[in-house]
Amino acid sequence: MPDLFPEDLEKWHILESTLLNIFNSFDTSEIRTPLIEPTDLFARSVGDSSDIVNKELYSFLDRNEESISLRPEGSASVIRAIVQRKQEHNQHKLWYQGPMFRYERPQKGRYRQFHQIGVEYLGHQEGASEYELISMILEIHQSLGIQDYTIKINHLGDSQAKEKFCKSLVSFLEPRIEDLHEKDKVRLKSNPLRVLDSKEKSTQVLLKNAPKFQDFISKKSKDFLNDLVNAFKDQCDIHIDQSLVRGLDYYTGVVFEIVSRELGAQDAFLGGGRYDNLSNQLGGKDMYAIGFAIGVERIIELLNVQNINQSLKVGFIIVGEQIYKKTYKIANDLRRSNKDIILDTFLSEGSLKSQLRKANKNNCDFAIIIGNEELKNNQVIWKDLREDGDQELLNLNELLDKYTNL
Ligand code: HAM
């Protein structure tokens, strides 16, 4: 995991504040759960035959010889928390963010410590919540100015349908096992559905004639999926992908993944779906559940700061004699009068020219210039840095007024 410096974090902050506004507008509240959980939680939820639990968990024995793990994802902990509080009968709309840990082979877009921002809607059966989450996802893309993306979506039916399909897939593949790629031979034994996800050519050829999920799920499920896709297809690139099964065992019902061609090999930057059985599996009462998580490092790659509405930035330039008491009162009054604007004070060193250069480099839209003369007369120069550099002389009240209404 690379270190993140202030210049890297600019995009992170834009992402975080944009998402917070969207979560608030959907009346979704934050939950925070620990980074460490008993290993058993992930074995019982994500699945002990999944790659995540099998090969990627950071697990160790604590001083009490109990196996604990760094969380590889957030949904299991959220459900554990709700079950532990005996809140399964209530409805919850929750979001979370933070680091996750998977011992994968690092490469571009794939880290051993990475971050997710996730949403979980609990207590809502299949229906409106699928529509609401896809709407939220579209809103996220629109607000972040992300245009080049594809939503792949599928329906895994209920657990019986999933099991029946799995059996049929195994009976189809077992006699043809020699044609499968080596990796997929292992998957066929440990987690057959994951064979569908294979990127290996030989396996993909074989899968062309394999049984299809759609033939095992009910008409109701199929209709629901088709209606969902039809409702959004005018607004985004969304299509059914029958090979989409997702790498975590807890899913049933609608699952989805969002990919972008701009990302290279690790092209999925959001994944999610319904997982109505997890509460039960973790010893809780029945509770409907659906959600998604965004891979922060990957979505950050897609952000183009120019496409995002950002706060205006004003450079605060003091040249000549510094009377901190007076200049910092001006800066303080300005900050209080309009909290949406960034006032960049460069801690006032250097000539006017070098400070103006700094203001341009820091992408300031305007500059406030205070020299000896201005300070004496309680005036400032207001300079537009965006176009032809118009400037005007303002007294302090006019400045405050302008800044407040910017
Ligand atoms: P996931 O698909 O395993 O789903 O992860 C979600 C996203 O996290 C991925 O689409 C990817 O962008 C990012 N991600 C995963 N592994 C790495 C890695 N090693 N490095 C960088 N980014 C990574 C889940 O975790 C589910 N809990 C999502 C969910 C929430 N389903 C329902 N509710």
Side-chain angles (χ1 to χ4, degrees), residues 107-119:
Q107 55 174 265
K108 186 172 180 296
R110 190 158 76 187
Y111 307 101
R112 289 180 172 172
Q113 177 180 327
F114 61 100
H115 295 75
Q116 285 185 345
I117 301 183
V119 173

Side-chain angles (χ1 to χ4, degrees), residues 43 46-54 190-191 194 249:
V46 175
D48 47 16
S49 60
S50 67
D51 282 354
I52 296 178
V53 169
N54 234 347
S190 63
N191 195 350
R194 293 291 288 160
D249 284 358

Side-chain angles (χ1 to χ4, degrees), residues 291-405:
F292 65 83
I294 295 171
V296 174
E297 285 77 2
R298 295 189 192 171
I299 203 169
I300 289 279
E301 287 286 307
L302 301 175
L303 294 194
N304 182 347
V305 178
Q306 261 83 46
N307 290 349
I308 302 164
N309 277 344
Q310 283 193 78
S311 308
L312 285 173
K313 205 169 185 183
V314 177
F316 192 70
I317 298 177
I318 296 156
V319 273
E321 194 193 352
Q322 254 286 19
I323 304 179
Y324 296 124
K325 207 168 131 194
K326 216 163 163 184
T327 51
Y328 274 85
K329 174 157 181 4
I330 301 175
N332 222 14
D333 289 348
L334 290 172
R335 287 204 175 99
R336 280 195 186 148
S337 74
N338 191 340
K339 294 198 169 62
D340 291 335
I341 295 177
I342 301 168
L343 188 69
D344 195 350
T345 52
F346 323 130
L347 304 177
S348 299
E349 276 150 21
S351 64
L352 173 60
K353 205 164 151 201
S354 76
Q355 289 196 64
L356 273 175
R357 210 179 305 126
K358 219 179 217 172
N360 279 313
K361 192 169 154 248
N362 286 6
N363 297 321
C364 290
D365 303 280
F366 303 96
I368 294 168
I369 304 167
I370 312 180
N372 289 342
E373 202 55 28
E374 288 82 27
L375 201 57
K376 221 182 323 159
N377 300 329
N378 286 326
Q379 289 178 316
V380 304
I381 296 170
W382 177 267
K383 189 172 170 63
D384 192 331
L385 300 179
R386 296 174 304 184
E387 278 146 29
D388 43 14
D390 280 352
Q391 61 180 55
E392 55 186 321
L393 201 60
L394 302 176
N395 69 35
L396 293 183
N397 283 338
E398 288 167 337
L399 171 69
L400 217 54
D401 210 39
K402 188 167 198 95
Y403 197 90
T404 311
N405 299 305

Side-chain angles (χ1 to χ4, degrees), residues 189-202:
K189 295 265 169 311
S190 63
N191 195 350
L193 285 183
R194 293 291 288 160
V195 177
L196 294 184
D197 254 358
S198 173
K199 300 215 162 50
E200 307 302 337
K201 256 242 135 60
S202 53

Side-chain angles (χ1 to χ4, degrees), residues 63-213:
R63 286 171 190 273
N64 211 16
E65 299 287 300
E66 277 164 33
S67 178
I68 52 174
S69 296
L70 297 178
R71 63 180 184 191
E73 59 101 50
S75 315
S77 303
V78 170
I79 300 299
R80 194 251 331 119
I82 296 292
V83 168
Q84 210 164 313
R85 248 193 168 197
K86 303 198 188 330
Q87 288 287 314
E88 304 97 296
H89 55 283
N90 284 345
Q91 294 185 321
H92 310 266
K93 288 160 126 189
L94 300 169
W95 69 269
Y96 54 88
Q97 69 170 332
M100 309 289 161
F101 305 85
R102 295 183 192 176
Y103 192 81
E104 296 191 78
R105 193 165 47 81
Q107 55 174 265
K108 186 172 180 296
R110 190 158 76 187
Y111 307 101
R112 289 180 172 172
Q113 177 180 327
F114 61 100
H115 295 75
Q116 285 185 345
I117 301 183
V119 173
E120 313 292 353
Y121 273 25
L122 309 178
H124 301 267
Q125 66 186 49
E126 181 172 279
S129 43
E130 274 80 353
Y131 282 77
E132 176 143 316
L133 286 185
I134 302 283
S135 302
M136 185 191 277
I137 287 170
L138 295 194
E139 186 58 31
I140 290 173
H141 286 81
Q142 158 137 34
S143 304
L144 295 172
I146 299 174
Q147 282 157 0
D148 186 6
Y149 66 93
T150 300
I151 305 180
K152 299 194 285 186
I153 193 162
N154 197 13
H155 200 302
L156 304 182
D158 54 20
S159 29
Q160 286 96 325
K162 203 169 155 184
E163 206 180 306
K164 262 198 203 152
F165 171 70
C166 201
K167 276 198 184 129
S168 154
L169 184 69
V170 172
S171 343
F172 173 83
L173 290 176
E174 262 175 352
R176 300 166 174 85
I177 194 159
E178 282 320 309
D179 298 335
L180 279 177
H181 187 276
E182 283 311 310
K183 266 197 223 157
D184 296 320
K185 286 182 184 164
V186 180
R187 281 176 165 169
L188 182 61
K189 295 265 169 311
S190 63
N191 195 350
L193 285 183
R194 293 291 288 160
V195 177
L196 294 184
D197 254 358
S198 173
K199 300 215 162 50
E200 307 302 337
K201 256 242 135 60
S202 53
T203 303
Q204 280 181 356
V205 171
L206 200 57
L207 286 175
K208 283 213 171 96
N209 298 319
K212 299 278 178 279
F213 236 123

